[in-house]
Amino acid sequence: MSSFRSKLVRAALGAPAGLLAAFTALAVAELVAGLVRPAAGPVTAVGGAVIDRTPAAVKDFAIRTFGENDKIVLQLGILAILALIAVGLGILAMSHRRAGAAGVLLFGIVGAAAALSRPDSTGAGDLLPSVAGAVAGAVALYVLATEAAPVPAPADAGGQTNPGARSRRGFLAAAGVTAVAATSAGALGRYFTGRQGRGAVASREGLVLPGPASPAPSVPAGVQLKVPGITAFTTPNADFYRVDTALTVPKVDAGTWRLRVHGKGVSRPRTYTLDQLLARPLIERDITLTCVSNEVGGPYIGNARWLGVPLADLLEEAGVRPPSKGGRADQLVARSVDGMTLGTPVEDVMDGRDAMLAVGMNGEPLPFEHGFPVRMLVPGLYGYVSACKWIEDIELSTFDAYDPYWVKRKWARRAPIKTQVRIDTPKPFARPAAGTVTVAGVAWAQRRGITRVQIRVDDGPWQDADLARQAGVDTWRQWSYRWQATPGGHTLTVRATDGTGQVQTEQRTRTIPDGASGWHSVFVTVP
Ligand SMILES: Nc1nc2c(c(=O)[nH]1)N[C@H]1C(S)=C(S)[C@@H](COP(=O)(O)O)O[C@H]1N2
Ligand SMILES: [Mo]
């Protein structure tokens, strides 16, 4: 009877022991990662490895469903699974100490393998956080399980003490010490990680951007319609969409940042500091950036005023010639500090468009989320084949020789932006009053520009919408239409025509492999 009770007590101690051991493992890993390499922390590493292996369709689903919270959802998911396993190992350890501790060690191997498999892995040092954490967690679980075991009553105590109660006191003491030690280790780890980030923050705050040698024309009056609910012509930095695989936003110190330019056909390889780039003549341009994962009518598009170094000049200085003029490299591979690779046609970068290494966004240094200190931008191409954030390396290569990150995951090698138009207002399932309803939105066909937007109510004839002024071929263009709304349910459909005269295709395609196509429509009910 009493042996059964003590078994029950021990099993009940298994859950907190397992959780505490897992917490210890994560805290010690955090401390070591803070000292060695923050990106190699186990949750970041496992999360990153999951992202790397997520099929393109699932990645698109995650972005759509969780939006920009996709990464938080992923990390919470990992922690929840970890907690379940920890409880299981804790209960196991109460009867089989060694097996429980070995289980924790096994988990360290998973974390270490994940860190090594990341594209930004720098080698064996990435193993340290997970291995150190796992050893600490295993020791913690072993000790806790030992303390939870009933203490055989000493002969001279005359059987007066209750062995179960004694073991609970020992367990509580060990658990308390472990909790305090683990919390301290975790806090110290956070402090070290934060200190590296603070250097980067200071370098960004201290950065004064030079003025452009070639300023953007002032945004012409008339590009911004005065329609409530329409998307602003210029997207404020805080509202600019964000799409990347980074679980923790890279915090790069501008002072130690370098950009290397090398590879096929580069007769003068070079490494630049930020100051060297800023000393060059800068251009300022309004450019609309779009994600290939944007569904018809979707939100992953934004327009900003960018300041940057013309990329073609830099390549010419390096000795690069475009393929059409006998250059041997047709793919420019950009690599970021977090190991992302993006491949861009050299031809597009050197054909006279405003391809740049951007340092400024809407009058301030790039926000960390958008690639501080330097990112690439190539008007007319989806972000995943052009817009490398936190860039640190440019390698001239060929499409035959190398597949970058997303191409390995079945996305297209080349991906110019498709003509699209979106209804911003009224919203889907809105209930506008009968009478004049202003329908409005934005249309884009970067490099080609927008020359016409047409709207159709139900199965009625196509009507021309009014176009706002066009700022340039690389930006989106606003449009509006005064609709005489009659009671009932109505479907509003829009289509755009680009600067080459091509009417946007009606054919709906998925985002994979090279961007969604098809007309946007919205259903509304006029009461
Ligand atoms: N380093 C890095 N750069 C990246 C990405 C990334 O995952 N990592 N994502 C690309 C994609 S898919 C897009 S659409 C744009 C988005 O840029 P934004 O987040 O500034 O809007 O960045 C591109 N550059
Ligand atoms: Mo993207």
Side-chain angles (χ1 to χ4, degrees):
M1 167 71 194
S2 95
S3 128
F4 175 73
R5 251 195 63 191
S6 84
K7 269 191 186 143
L8 212 65
V9 167
R10 279 203 293 150
L13 293 181
L19 288 172
L20 196 52
F23 175 63
T24 305
L26 289 180
V28 169
E30 175 96 26
L31 172 60
V32 176
L35 290 170
V36 190
R37 242 171 68 75
V43 178
T44 308
V46 171
V50 170
I51 292 177
D52 293 343
R53 282 162 189 74
T54 303
V58 181
K59 169 222 154 210
D60 250 31
F61 165 82
I63 290 182
R64 274 202 305 279
T65 312
F66 306 118
E68 303 190 353
N69 295 324
D70 57 346
K71 301 189 183 71
I72 297 169
V73 171
L74 172 66
Q75 274 172 310
L76 286 180
I78 290 173
L79 286 177
I81 292 172
L82 203 65
L84 276 179
I85 294 169
V87 167
L89 287 175
I91 292 173
L92 170 71
M94 291 301 128
S95 49
H96 302 85
R97 268 179 280 197
R98 296 224 176 104
V104 177
L105 284 178
L106 213 64
F107 256 78
I109 293 175
V110 173
L116 261 197
S117 81
R118 299 283 358 259
D120 61 341
S121 168
T122 51
D126 292 1
L127 300 174
L128 276 180
S130 292
V131 170
V135 170
V139 170
L141 187 56
Y142 190 89
V143 169
L144 289 170
T146 308
E147 289 298 334
V151 181
D156 60 5
Q160 293 296 352
T161 37
N162 172 353
R166 284 185 55 171
S167 85
R168 279 196 296 279
R169 278 198 297 277
F171 177 83
L172 282 179
V177 170
T178 308
V180 170
T183 306
S184 317
L188 207 60
R190 279 283 149 95
Y191 168 79
F192 286 130
T193 309
R195 197 175 56 179
Q196 294 169 20
R198 283 190 289 280
V201 170
S203 77
R204 181 173 182 276
E205 279 164 2
L207 181 61
V208 181
L209 293 175
S214 165
S218 62
V219 178
V223 301
Q224 175 68 59
L225 298 177
K226 289 182 189 64
V227 176
I230 198 171
T231 307
F233 176 77
T234 299
T235 314
N237 289 355
D239 300 341
F240 207 96
Y241 83 92
R242 178 186 160 204
V243 170
D244 56 58
T245 58
L247 273 174
T248 45
V249 176
K251 293 269 171 70
V252 180
D253 190 320
T256 53
W257 176 87
R258 296 289 182 275
L259 173 71
R260 184 169 167 229
V261 179
H262 62 114
K264 211 175 181 60
V266 179
S267 48
R268 289 174 292 278
R270 243 196 100 168
T271 300
Y272 295 88
T273 65
L274 185 60
D275 284 341
Q276 286 169 334
L277 287 186
L278 294 180
R280 303 174 64 95
L282 304 183
I283 56 172
E284 182 189 49
R285 298 289 184 265
D286 293 321
I287 297 168
T288 301
L289 179 62
T290 314
C291 182
V292 71
S293 294
N294 197 44
E295 295 283 332
V296 172
Y300 300 120
I301 177 166
N303 181 62
R305 178 156 283 201
W306 308 90
L307 176 74
V309 178
L311 184 51
D313 294 359
L314 215 70
L315 295 184
E316 272 162 26
E317 276 180 32
V320 177
R321 285 153 58 82
S324 59
K325 297 201 175 129
R328 287 176 298 143
D330 61 0
Q331 181 176 222
L332 181 159
V333 177
R335 184 182 300 270
S336 70
V337 301
D338 62 334
M340 171 56 64
T341 49
L342 295 83
T344 310
V346 173
E347 193 65 56
D348 293 351
V349 172
M350 301 188 82
D351 71 357
R353 73 183 76 183
D354 293 314
M356 65 166 93
L357 292 171
V359 291
M361 183 177 184
N362 292 328
E364 57 169 302
L366 293 177
F368 288 109
E369 289 79 6
H370 298 291
F372 181 85
V374 180
R375 77 175 305 167
M376 223 173 98
L377 273 184
V378 183
L381 305 182
Y382 285 119
Y384 84 105
V385 288
S386 66
C388 186
K389 305 194 275 190
W390 316 292
I391 191 171
E392 66 171 6
D393 189 285
I394 289 179
E395 179 173 0
L396 278 294
S397 179
T398 62
F399 281 101
D400 284 342
Y402 185 75
D403 283 341
Y405 187 92
W406 290 113
V407 174
K408 286 196 183 91
R409 288 158 179 79
K410 307 272 182 276
W411 295 80
R413 289 198 170 79
R414 297 168 188 265
I417 296 173
K418 296 180 179 176
T419 303
Q420 280 288 321
V421 49
R422 180 176 81 189
I423 299 174
D424 289 337
T425 178
K427 294 279 173 227
F429 309 112
R431 300 173 64 83
T436 305
V437 172
T438 304
V439 185
V442 285
W444 61 90
Q446 288 93 318
R447 290 314 292 148
R448 304 179 296 281
I450 293 291
T451 51
R452 191 180 200 186
V453 170
Q454 293 165 294
I455 180 167
R456 188 176 70 182
V457 180
D458 302 319
D459 293 326
W462 287 103
Q463 310 275 345
D464 278 336
D466 296 320
L467 289 172
R469 278 185 66 184
Q470 168 118 358
V473 290
D474 293 333
T475 67
W476 56 17
R477 186 172 191 177
Q478 297 188 345
W479 58 272
S480 72
Y481 177 77
R482 287 163 67 81
W483 171 41
Q484 300 310 318
T486 52
H490 297 290
T491 302
L492 307 171
T493 305
V494 284
R495 68 179 189 193
T497 303
D498 72 13
T500 71
Q502 190 75 41
V503 181
Q504 177 192 345
T505 178
E506 178 179 12
Q507 199 194 350
R508 278 266 181 170
T509 58
R510 304 202 302 160
T511 57
I512 308 166
D514 64 353
S517 68
W519 297 339
H520 187 212
S521 55
V522 159
F523 182 83
V524 298
T525 303
V526 179

